[in-house]
Amino acid sequence: MSLAPDPEATPYTVRARCLACDDLSPEPEPSESITAQHERAQRWCTRHAARDHADGRHFRFAATVTLRWRVTPAEDIGPAAL
């Protein structure tokens, strides 16, 4: 079997999540480079932290980078597993 980026999917996405309220940064544009997506997520964090929230300011965030892969069997491996 081989593992490679999924040619039918967006190759990667970078998003940020506020740890105080679980808000997510916007879905990135598929045409953006991974660096541009990272910078967009960082800008979202600073804008979100600058807002006044009912429970106070939010200063803690998590970033998630998602890479989409596909496994290609070297030969027919039988019925699909459920």
Side-chain angles (χ1 to χ4, degrees), residues 36-58:
Q37 290 185 26
H38 180 263
E39 291 168 352
R40 178 192 287 242
Q42 287 182 322
R43 285 191 305 273
W44 177 84
C45 291
T46 57
R47 285 192 309 269
H48 187 83
R51 289 181 21 210
D52 286 323
H53 301 273
D55 59 348
R57 295 275 175 102
H58 298 174

Side-chain angles (χ1 to χ4, degrees), residues 2 14-15 26 36 40-41 44-45 48 50 54 57 70-72 76 78-79:
S2 64
V14 179
R15 294 189 75 184
R40 178 192 287 242
W44 177 84
C45 291
H48 187 83
R57 295 275 175 102
R70 181 180 194 169
V71 170
T72 303
D76 185 10

Side-chain angles (χ1 to χ4, degrees), residues 12-79:
Y12 47 76
T13 55
V14 179
R15 294 189 75 184
R17 180 176 55 87
C18 175
L19 297 177
C21 69
D22 282 337
D23 276 358
L24 286 171
S25 62
E27 187 76 32
E29 295 295 325
S31 61
E32 285 182 305
S33 70
I34 198 164
T35 302
Q37 290 185 26
H38 180 263
E39 291 168 352
R40 178 192 287 242
Q42 287 182 322
R43 285 191 305 273
W44 177 84
C45 291
T46 57
R47 285 192 309 269
H48 187 83
R51 289 181 21 210
D52 286 323
H53 301 273
D55 59 348
R57 295 275 175 102
H58 298 174
F59 297 116
R60 300 188 70 208
F61 300 87
T64 303
V65 178
T66 303
L67 304 171
R68 290 170 179 87
W69 297 335
R70 181 180 194 169
V71 170
T72 303
E75 59 188 54
D76 185 10
I77 57 175

